[in-house]
Amino acid sequence: MLLERARSVAGWQLTLGAALFVLGFLIAAQLASEGPRIRITSQERTPLIATVLDLQKQQDDLKTQVLDLRASIADLDAAGEGGTAVTQQLNDRLEHAQEAAGLVALAGPGLVIRLSDSGVQVPTDADERDYLVSGNDVRTVVEELWLAGAEDVAVNDERVVVTTAILDIGGSVLVNSAYLAPPYQVSAIGPSDMFERLTQAVGFVDFIRSRAETYGIGVDYAVLDEVDLPAYAGSVTLRYGFVEASPSPGVTPDVVPPFGTQVP
């Protein structure tokens, strides 16, 4: 019995000793590994700090670039305002030139004159063509409207521009490149007293006497708050042109275009 207790105690001690040995070995191994890890961490600290400082410097540089770019954008915006003003001036000049050339449709207060063929009986010994509205009649009314202060003129759906020709072609009138048939509607935009100027002009009075009273050519008119003028639809072939001041009422120049032109 004592022998069995001795064996039991001896086995227990051996087991405890083995466990303690293993535990000590593990603790020694852990302590041995701490030294290199601490040394590695200390060795890597210096380059990590350098990297952090370098990244911080890059960030500061980027912030400086952002501020510089914002300042440049502000400068460009300020310069853009000036550029916009110049562009607006150029657009205004272009629009004015297009209006002067008749390239845009216009509307405004003005006057409409309707010319129609005579309705009287043509005498047997008379020329029937005298009782029809001619290209010269249309051209005379257009010229008298310019002299009365008209700013823009159209005949039927044809805008009168500097290159417009009004000619007799057979039984119709050619305006620009369009053959028009009577009655002819001459529309003009101009000042409020344009009709008074027109009816007091010597040239228009002579036209009424020679054509309306003598041959019965119909001349009807209407003063309107808004007259629509179409845009010129033909080709522009002028190589050179300049704006010329309108003549004073009552003064008849040799040529009366919408605005002066000179083609070399």
Side-chain angles (χ1 to χ4, degrees), residues 83-93 95:
T84 301
V86 172
T87 302
Q88 184 61 45
Q89 292 177 1
L90 292 175
N91 287 334
D92 292 341
R93 292 176 60 185
E95 182 178 356

Side-chain angles (χ1 to χ4, degrees), residues 32-48:
S33 65
E34 286 293 330
R37 193 163 74 179
I38 294 173
R39 286 194 299 272
I40 291 174
T41 302
S42 300
Q43 292 173 0
E44 293 179 350
R45 181 180 180 82
T46 300
L48 286 176

Side-chain angles (χ1 to χ4, degrees), residues 21-180:
F21 176 76
V22 173
L23 180 61
F25 177 78
L26 292 175
I27 293 174
Q30 180 69 23
L31 292 175
S33 65
E34 286 293 330
R37 193 163 74 179
I38 294 173
R39 286 194 299 272
I40 291 174
T41 302
S42 300
Q43 292 173 0
E44 293 179 350
R45 181 180 180 82
T46 300
L48 286 176
I49 293 175
T51 302
V52 170
L53 293 176
D54 184 59
L55 292 175
Q56 183 65 43
K57 183 178 182 303
Q58 293 182 21
Q59 186 179 25
D60 293 339
D61 293 340
L62 291 174
K63 288 181 179 179
T64 302
Q65 292 182 24
V66 169
L67 294 176
D68 293 341
L69 289 173
R70 286 179 178 175
S72 299
I73 291 173
D75 293 339
L76 290 174
D77 288 339
E81 293 178 358
T84 301
V86 172
T87 302
Q88 184 61 45
Q89 292 177 1
L90 292 175
N91 287 334
D92 292 341
R93 292 176 60 185
L94 176 61
E95 182 178 356
H96 177 72
Q98 289 176 332
E99 290 180 359
L103 300 179
V104 294
L106 293 178
L111 174 65
V112 175
I113 297 177
R114 187 171 180 264
L115 302 177
S116 55
D117 294 337
S118 174
V120 303
Q121 184 67 35
V122 179
T124 55
D125 58 345
D127 188 346
E128 185 178 356
R129 291 175 297 180
D130 292 336
Y131 294 82
L132 303 177
V133 178
S134 66
N136 185 64
D137 295 332
V138 177
R139 186 166 53 251
T140 298
V141 172
V142 170
E143 291 179 352
E144 291 300 326
L145 284 170
W146 287 124
L147 292 173
E151 299 172 4
D152 291 278
V153 179
V155 179
N156 290 9
D157 292 329
E158 291 297 320
R159 184 73 165 270
V160 177
V161 296
V162 65
T163 57
T164 296
I166 302 176
L167 305 171
D168 285 303
I169 302 293
S172 63
V173 173
L174 180 71
V175 179
N176 294 328
S177 298
Y179 293 91
L180 305 182

